[in-house]
């Protein structure tokens, strides 16, 4: 009866937990892998959009300065029309009136070029080009940072999923311990308090499992928010994460590689170059400048042609009237002149030389010179700081990766020994050699050892990715190209409810992130073959 109550309680707990963690999936959409999540983030992250806008503004400034440093060619089509009545305008001073209707059409192709003898425009062009390169390098650095953040968030899901699998196995262990304590109580070899303490440990394990499942969902939602995807997005998190090797290059070479390839170093270097060029261009503003312009085109006034034709018609009619009065035949209409439409075209060339020297500016130029010099000092300090930060990032990432690799080896051994200790403690408890408290302590130590191994594996992968990004030689996708993992992927391992039956719990294979799960299976096999009542308990029979 006690086992049946335990079975019904486990079934209710599993069903309720399954309803609690169920999450909607994006209908018809394939799960996003790590590279897919990075690609999605690069296309939708707000920080990427902001830096792309900054790069577009820098390129627009460069294009505008290029139009000032080099000759430009432009075309113009203009149509002018004016009507008036009894309006003298500018001709009123001489007692004349302007035409009541005026129209004029102009077509022109011209070029303009401002020649600065000191080369100020070309220097400013170089400064704007350096700023555009700095903005592009900053965008690349932002993309690399997004890749690092997405990778950490992605493997955070894998880490929490492994903890879910581990906590499920721990719950299985505690359930078997409860059944063993009940059997020993019925056999009269253990006190009833052992059953209570075992049930307390089981409830604590259930609570931990609920929290770990919620952590998976939280990590899932945080990743979706980071990349700008809907919360219903499904991620294909690998159940077996690859462990990439460390670069077989001396640390000094890695530092030099980072200084030569890091986008933030290039951005700071370009910003320093731009500051120096801006200061140099400021000193050339006092040189003379020559504005050159030239153009060719055609200009025609239809109203002027009409007025000329009307005047010719009047003169032609007057001449014919005089001829008729003299008894002579009039001239034929074909002899009347016709005003031609259009004109033979025009051209013009202009050169204006300007030399301007400020005599009294109340310290304006001095203030500008001080500001430009301060910008150079600031840019130089930033460049030194960025180089130092790049070297620090490489050293810290390399040290973190090597440390994580060493800790991973220790964590494997710790996990193996902890699992074996828990197995032996359970057997000793079954034979009455130790108390239940010793079993619980051994299981807690084993559980923590497995948690340490899970965290060590995730920490090593994150450290390797950070090292690759710190070198500047990897792109956002190439930095994680070999982290696709092994084995089947799980879109949402947290959606699996807690199985209620003890007999089927230990036949499942845990994820690869769950270290040495075979120790649990050996534990169960050893207990199932030790005594008949143990085998019966594992099979779920009273």
């Amino acid at each position: 009866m006690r086992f049946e109550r335990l079975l019904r309680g486990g079934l209710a707990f599993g069903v309720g937990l399954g309803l609690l963690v169920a999450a909607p999936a994006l209908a018809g959409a394939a799960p996003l892998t790590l590279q897919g999540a990075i690609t999605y983030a690069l296309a939708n992250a707000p920080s990427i959009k902001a830096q792309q806008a900054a790069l577009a503004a820098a390129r627009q400034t460069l294009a505008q300065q290029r139009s000032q440093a080099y000759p430009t060619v432009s075309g113009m089509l203009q149509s002018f029309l004016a009507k008036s009545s009894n309006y003298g305008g500018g001709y009123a001073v001489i007692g004349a009136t302007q035409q009541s209707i005026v129209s004029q059409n102009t077509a022109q192709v011209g070029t303009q070029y401002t020649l600065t003898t000191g080369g100020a425009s070309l220097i400013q062009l170089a400064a704007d080009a350096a700023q555009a390169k700095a903005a592009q390098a900053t965008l690349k650095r932002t993309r690399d940072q997004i890749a690092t953040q997405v990778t950490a968030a992605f493997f955070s899901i894998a880490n929490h999923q492994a903890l879910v699998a581990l906590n499920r196995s721990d719950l299985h262990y505690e359930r078997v311990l409860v059944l063993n304590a009940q059997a020993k109580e019925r056999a009269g070899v253990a006190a009833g308090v052992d059953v209570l303490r075992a049930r307390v440990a089981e409830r604590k394990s259930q609570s931990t499992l609920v929290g770990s499942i919620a952590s998976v969902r939280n990590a899932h939602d945080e990743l979706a928010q980071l990349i700008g995807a809907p919360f219903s997005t499904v991620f294909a998190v690998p159940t077996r994460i690859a462990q990439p090797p460390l670069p077989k290059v001396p640390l000094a070479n890695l530092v030099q590689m980072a200084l030569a390839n890091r986008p933030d170093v290039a951005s700071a270097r370009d910003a320093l170059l731009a500051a120096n060029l801006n200061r140099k261009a400021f000193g050339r503003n006092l040189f003379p400048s020559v504005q050159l312009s030239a153009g060719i085109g055609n200009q025609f006034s239809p109203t002027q042609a009409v007025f000329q034709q009307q005047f010719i018609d009047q003169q032609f009619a007057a001449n014919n009237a005089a001829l008729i009065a003299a008894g002579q035949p009039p001239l034929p209409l074909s002899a009347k002149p016709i005003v031609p439409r259009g004109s033979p075209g025009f051209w013009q060339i202009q050169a204006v030389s300007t030399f301007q020297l400020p005599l009294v500016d109340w310290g304006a130029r001095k203030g500008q010179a001080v500001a430009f010099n301060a910008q150079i000092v600031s840019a130089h300090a930033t460049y030194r700081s960025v180089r130092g930060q790049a070297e620090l990032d490489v050293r810290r990432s390399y040290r973190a990766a090597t440390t994580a690799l060493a800790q991973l080896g220790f964590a494997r051994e710790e996990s193996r020994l902890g699992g074996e200790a828990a197995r032996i403690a359970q057997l000793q408890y079954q034979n009455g050699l130790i108390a239940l408290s010793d079993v619980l302590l051994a299981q807690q130590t084993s559980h923590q050892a497995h948690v340490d191994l899970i965290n060590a594996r995730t920490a090593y992968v994150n450290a390797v990715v950070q090292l690759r990004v710190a070198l500047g030689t990897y792109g956002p996708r190439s930095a994680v190209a070999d982290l696709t993992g092994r084995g089947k992927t799980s879109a949402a391992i947290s959606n699996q409810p807690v199985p209620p039956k003890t007999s089927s719990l230990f036949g499942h294979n845990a994820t690869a992130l769950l270290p040495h799960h075979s120790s649990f299976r050996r534990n169960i096999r050893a207990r199932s073959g030790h005594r008949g009542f143990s085998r019966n308990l594992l099979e779920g029979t009273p």
Side-chain angles (χ1 to χ4, degrees), residues 117 177 191 202 244 378 386 472:
T117 57
L177 193 61
E202 179 191 13
S378 175
V386 170

Side-chain angles (χ1 to χ4, degrees), residues 292-374:
L292 304 175
S293 62
I296 57 174
N298 186 280
Q299 193 172 66
F300 175 70
S301 176
T303 54
Q304 185 66 24
V306 170
F307 291 147
Q308 291 178 359
Q309 188 64 52
Q310 290 177 352
F311 178 76
I312 291 174
D313 292 344
Q314 292 173 2
Q315 292 295 326
F316 185 78
N319 290 338
N320 281 341
L323 290 175
I324 293 173
Q328 297 179 5
L331 297 174
L333 291 178
S334 59
K336 183 175 65 174
I338 301 299
V339 177
R341 293 285 179 171
S343 64
F346 67 89
W347 61 270
Q348 61 89 20
I349 297 178
Q350 182 179 1
V352 179
S353 179
T354 304
F355 175 70
Q356 186 175 0
L357 180 64
L359 300 178
V360 179
D361 62 357
W362 307 104
R365 285 189 58 82
K366 181 180 179 180
Q368 291 178 349
V370 171
F372 281 123
N373 292 334

Side-chain angles (χ1 to χ4, degrees), residues 171-419:
L171 177 59
H172 305 161
Y173 185 97
E174 301 297 344
R175 283 177 173 173
V176 172
L177 193 61
V178 169
L179 298 178
N180 287 336
Q182 290 174 343
K184 292 173 70 68
E185 180 189 19
R186 289 194 298 268
V189 295
V193 69
D194 283 357
V195 178
L196 296 178
R197 297 175 65 181
R199 285 181 174 176
V200 169
E202 179 191 13
R203 292 298 183 266
K204 182 178 180 180
S205 180
Q206 289 176 339
S207 176
T208 303
L209 178 58
V210 172
S212 61
I213 292 177
S215 297
V216 173
R217 300 309 310 164
N218 291 336
H220 172 277
D221 293 344
E222 290 173 0
L223 176 58
Q225 175 65 20
L226 176 62
I227 68 176
F231 291 120
S232 57
T233 303
V234 178
F235 298 101
V237 181
T239 58
R240 185 179 294 273
I241 300 177
Q243 300 294 315
L246 287 175
K248 299 179 180 180
V249 180
L251 179 59
N253 294 350
L254 294 178
V255 171
Q256 295 301 320
M257 187 183 305
L259 296 179
N261 296 279
R262 285 269 294 238
D264 52 345
V265 176
S267 177
R269 183 173 56 249
D270 292 332
L272 176 59
L273 175 61
N276 282 283
L277 291 173
N278 285 329
R279 178 63 180 87
K280 188 176 181 180
F282 171 75
R284 304 296 178 87
N285 289 337
L286 298 181
F287 284 67
S289 63
V290 180
Q291 295 180 350
L292 304 175
S293 62
I296 57 174
N298 186 280
Q299 193 172 66
F300 175 70
S301 176
T303 54
Q304 185 66 24
V306 170
F307 291 147
Q308 291 178 359
Q309 188 64 52
Q310 290 177 352
F311 178 76
I312 291 174
D313 292 344
Q314 292 173 2
Q315 292 295 326
F316 185 78
N319 290 338
N320 281 341
L323 290 175
I324 293 173
Q328 297 179 5
L331 297 174
L333 291 178
S334 59
K336 183 175 65 174
I338 301 299
V339 177
R341 293 285 179 171
S343 64
F346 67 89
W347 61 270
Q348 61 89 20
I349 297 178
Q350 182 179 1
V352 179
S353 179
T354 304
F355 175 70
Q356 186 175 0
L357 180 64
L359 300 178
V360 179
D361 62 357
W362 307 104
R365 285 189 58 82
K366 181 180 179 180
Q368 291 178 349
V370 171
F372 281 123
N373 292 334
Q375 290 178 4
I376 293 176
V377 173
S378 175
H380 195 271
T382 301
Y383 178 58
R384 291 198 308 268
S385 176
V386 170
R387 285 178 59 90
Q389 184 64 43
E391 183 174 356
L392 174 62
D393 289 344
V394 173
R395 291 179 176 274
R396 182 168 53 191
S397 300
Y398 185 80
R399 191 177 298 114
T402 53
T403 302
L405 183 60
Q407 290 177 338
L408 183 59
F410 292 128
R412 287 196 181 100
E413 186 67 12
E414 176 189 0
S415 175
R416 184 186 67 81
L417 296 176

